[in-house]
Amino acid sequence: MKGTKFYVAWKGMKFRCSAGKKYSDFNSYGGKGVKVCRRWKRFINFRDDMYESYLKHIIDFGEKQTSLDRINNNGNYCKANCRWATLKEQNSNRKYGLNYTFKGETHCLSEWSNKLGFTYKILRNRIRDLNWSIEKTFTTPINKKLSNRFRGFL
């Protein structure tokens, strides 16, 4: 199965937990103690546990929208804590995927991004870096002149 997206998911899972500082996101995985269970260190066991659900997810959502997701982001990679998820589900499950309530509706930031027409990065930076309130974050229009000047920041 080498070269398949399924195999690449297994390799990626192992890499995220063991690559060390040469991987920029290591602190979100192995650096914070996330491990691959002993059983899944062998591909055949990972295949036996996850391949059937992988195929079902592909039928329902397509291969491009199928990725390995830990249900509890602080938990390890193991059968009880993993599922196949869409990109939207993964974004909702990220450590920054907190839910925000505005005008009686509650969504994660990526959903608000789609709903309001702002990029996810703009909303995240307004909340996290600029410490804006949710109302100010969601209602302040983008100043085109400023956004061109500070494109990397906003």
Side-chain angles (χ1 to χ4, degrees):
M1 295 184 78
K2 285 184 179 177
T4 65
K5 185 168 180 183
F6 183 80
Y7 185 83
V8 169
W10 174 73
K11 292 286 282 185
M13 165 192 70
K14 289 178 42 176
F15 177 78
R16 287 188 290 278
C17 295
S18 63
K21 295 184 183 197
K22 63 183 172 187
Y23 175 52
S24 62
D25 285 339
F26 178 72
N27 288 338
S28 298
Y29 297 93
K32 73 174 188 178
V34 175
K35 294 179 173 60
V36 176
C37 70
R38 176 175 281 166
R39 176 172 166 76
W40 281 10
K41 291 189 178 182
R42 292 188 61 222
F43 175 73
I44 193 145
N45 294 328
F46 176 73
R47 186 203 64 196
D48 290 350
D49 288 347
M50 298 298 288
Y51 193 61
E52 188 176 322
S53 60
Y54 172 79
L55 293 175
K56 183 180 180 338
H57 199 275
I58 285 176
I59 289 168
D60 293 342
F61 300 99
E63 192 174 45
K64 201 171 189 177
Q65 284 292 319
T66 299
S67 60
L68 187 62
D69 185 42
R70 283 175 297 126
I71 297 163
N72 172 357
N73 278 323
N74 293 316
N76 293 328
Y77 283 99
C78 62
K79 185 175 182 179
N81 192 43
C82 287
R83 64 179 178 172
W84 298 103
T86 64
L87 297 175
K88 183 177 178 181
E89 289 169 324
Q90 280 223 332
N91 285 335
S92 297
N93 194 29
R94 296 173 69 168
K95 73 176 181 178
Y96 297 116
L98 303 172
N99 288 319
Y100 298 94
T101 302
F102 178 66
K103 293 189 176 182
E105 290 185 51
T106 302
H107 303 286
C108 68
L109 210 52
S110 62
E111 290 169 335
W112 278 116
S113 169
N114 292 333
K115 192 170 186 67
L116 298 172
F118 292 106
T119 67
Y120 174 87
K121 189 175 180 182
I122 285 174
L123 295 180
R124 184 198 65 209
N125 287 345
R126 285 176 171 185
I127 292 167
R128 191 179 69 189
D129 300 335
L130 299 174
N131 204 26
W132 286 10
S133 70
I134 298 304
E135 182 168 351
K136 183 176 180 182
T137 296
F138 291 173
T139 60
T140 303
I142 300 169
N143 181 327
K144 298 273 187 205
K145 289 179 184 175
L146 276 180
S147 66
N148 286 335
R149 189 169 172 201
F150 297 105
R151 175 162 276 163
F153 182 72
L154 298 173

